[in-house]
Amino acid sequence: MKYFKLPDLGEGLPEAEIVEWHVKVGDTVAVDQVLVSVETAKAIVEVPSPEAGIIAKLFGEPGDIIHTGEPLLAYEGEGDDSGTVVGELKKAEPGSGQDQFIVGAAPSSKRARSHRATPGVRALAERLGVSLEQIKGSGPGGLITNDDVHRQASHQKQLGEAEPLRGTRRTMAKNMALSHAQVVPVSIYEDVDIGDWKKGADITMRLVQAIATACEASPAMNCWFDGDNLSRRLLSEVHVGIAVDTPDGLFVPVLRDVNHRSLKDLRKGLENLREAVATRKIPPKEMQGATITLSNFGTMTGQYANPIVTPPQVAIVGAGTIREKVVPYQGNATIRRILPLSVTFDHRAATGGEAARFLAALMESLQLP
């Protein structure tokens, strides 16, 4: 058999979740025919067939996680190299068909990644409806015991069975844990008077343009930081990640080169990105390469926040809910529209002074009519 492995679906996307198979064993497929839909970190991608042939075997079911380089399916046919579906490569028996891998690296077995347990313990877990993947074994070398299974079963009975995170939420959990482990965050807050804005002003676009201006005033906030090597790369172009909330989780498409584009062009670009997110057809590359992020959580509720910086970025801007407040204005107590701002930065890569200058420039830009 010839094995087709999960190809590289984009830089920094090492795995994908099977959403739906579009073929079955025995089907004859053509070149570029869609084989399967998979969900990467942020998007659903349709994987085409690299060749024509007959499907001999499918590896994985909807909901399974497949890593880049692991087999997706096998075609009928012969090749020059032999190998098993998973694990160590073996020679084919004399006279048997040989297997050819079309894409990739050495595969790893999903079974091999599962937790260690004896057959009796596995049978007990199956009988009690317990997933071994949710158990940390207390036996020698992490071996799962009967007591471990019974404890998990009791826990599930009391609290209900846990729902495993998948797709976007799973990726978000990983990214937040990475940020917590690597970033040294500091947040500063301020209010900006936007009472002179014209009626119907595009709030998000004003924020995006103000971020571009602030990055020019304080370049240290528009950079990528390598914490392992303690190095940073100051960037001349400003690519703003726009946090978009969806029922499936948080998406952050990237609005590129915002310091050289008109407001109208930026708005059109953002609408295209949001539509792609809503239909889950956004290419993975459109969610990579951000140099700084905007979280406009104020469109829902909340004044201030300390949003999470995602490495290698060093800063994220949070915009709260616009409110009318009584403030001093031209010597009088006046009701004005006030926009709360939050800036969180990685203190390893930027100083407090650099962050303060960034916030001051951000406010100055937003105060303009």
Side-chain angles (χ1 to χ4, degrees):
M1 289 189 293
K2 292 179 289 185
Y3 292 81
F4 175 42
K5 294 171 155 187
L6 179 67
D8 184 0
L9 299 175
E11 182 181 353
L13 300 174
E15 63 184 23
E17 177 182 330
I18 295 175
V19 176
E20 178 185 7
W21 284 105
H22 299 290
V23 296
K24 61 183 182 298
V25 173
D27 282 356
T28 299
V29 297
V31 176
D32 291 335
Q33 180 177 335
V34 175
L35 300 171
V36 62
S37 296
V38 298
E39 184 171 16
T40 65
K42 298 293 185 179
I44 293 179
V45 179
E46 293 181 338
V47 180
S49 177
E51 66 172 55
I54 300 175
I55 304 299
K57 192 168 185 178
L58 304 179
F59 299 107
E61 300 176 355
D64 286 349
I65 303 297
I66 304 292
H67 292 75
T68 299
E70 291 184 340
L72 271 175
L73 55 78
Y75 298 92
E76 292 183 1
E78 298 181 356
D80 296 328
D81 299 321
S82 63
T84 54
V85 176
V86 293
E88 180 182 355
L89 291 179
K90 302 177 182 178
K91 292 292 182 181
E93 297 178 0
S96 66
Q98 294 181 315
D99 302 327
Q100 177 186 6
F101 284 101
I102 299 172
V103 178
S108 62
S109 170
K110 183 178 179 181
R111 183 181 298 276
R113 293 194 300 269
S114 63
H115 292 267
R116 296 175 60 240
T118 65
V121 170
R122 291 183 180 279
L124 175 65
E126 184 175 357
R127 187 170 72 251
L128 296 178
V130 171
S131 171
L132 294 179
E133 293 182 357
Q134 299 177 5
I135 301 177
K136 183 177 181 180
S138 62
L143 187 70
I144 298 175
T145 67
N146 284 339
D147 288 341
D148 295 331
V149 173
H150 282 296
R151 277 194 295 270
Q152 180 67 22
S154 177
H155 183 73
Q156 289 181 188
K157 185 176 181 180
Q158 293 176 0
L159 302 179
E161 189 171 354
E163 175 188 357
L165 296 180
R166 297 193 180 279
T168 305
R169 292 187 181 276
R170 184 171 180 269
T171 301
M172 180 182 68
K174 286 185 174 183
N175 289 340
M176 294 304 98
L178 179 66
S179 174
H180 180 72
Q182 293 186 357
V183 175
V184 181
V186 175
S187 296
I188 52 178
Y189 313 97
E190 211 14 304
D191 290 333
V192 59
D193 187 333
I194 59 170
D196 293 330
W197 280 13
K198 296 179 180 178
K199 185 177 181 180
D202 192 326
I203 300 171
T204 300
M205 290 300 98
R206 286 295 305 264
L207 283 165
V208 167
Q209 290 187 317
I211 288 173
T213 300
C215 286
E216 293 177 357
S218 186
M221 301 289 277
N222 187 59
C223 83
W224 286 335
F225 179 70
D226 183 346
D228 293 330
N229 298 309
L230 294 181
S231 63
R232 67 175 183 171
R233 179 181 299 172
L234 299 180
L235 304 165
S236 58
E237 294 182 341
V238 182
H239 304 316
V240 180
I242 309 288
V244 178
D245 180 65
T246 77
D248 295 319
L250 184 67
F251 288 73
V252 189
V254 180
L255 197 58
R256 302 187 188 279
D257 201 22
V258 299
N259 46 337
H260 297 121
R261 296 170 63 181
S262 67
L263 188 147
K264 183 178 181 180
D265 185 40
L266 289 171
R267 167 50 63 182
K268 182 178 179 181
L270 181 58
E271 291 302 324
N272 290 339
L273 289 172
R274 283 180 169 166
E275 181 180 356
V277 167
T279 58
R280 303 303 302 276
K281 297 296 184 181
I282 186 167
K285 66 179 181 179
E286 296 296 340
M287 289 180 290
Q288 299 170 1
T291 62
I292 191 169
T293 296
L294 167 65
S295 176
N296 195 7
F297 60 86
T299 56
M300 293 177 283
T301 188
Q303 284 187 275
Y304 309 101
N306 55 340
I308 305 299
V309 176
T310 305
Q313 297 172 53
V314 302
I316 180 171
V317 175
T321 300
I322 297 173
R323 289 176 167 84
E324 290 187 341
K325 289 186 177 182
V326 178
V327 296
Y329 180 71
Q330 298 180 348
N332 298 304
T334 308
I335 297 177
R336 302 282 289 178
R337 296 179 75 212
I338 303 298
L339 171 62
L341 294 174
S342 310
V343 175
T344 300
F345 65 100
D346 188 342
H347 213 330
R348 299 173 305 166
T351 67
E354 289 166 334
R357 285 190 287 275
F358 174 89
L359 181 56
L362 186 69
M363 294 175 61
E364 183 178 355
S365 177
L366 290 171
Q367 286 170 339
L368 296 174

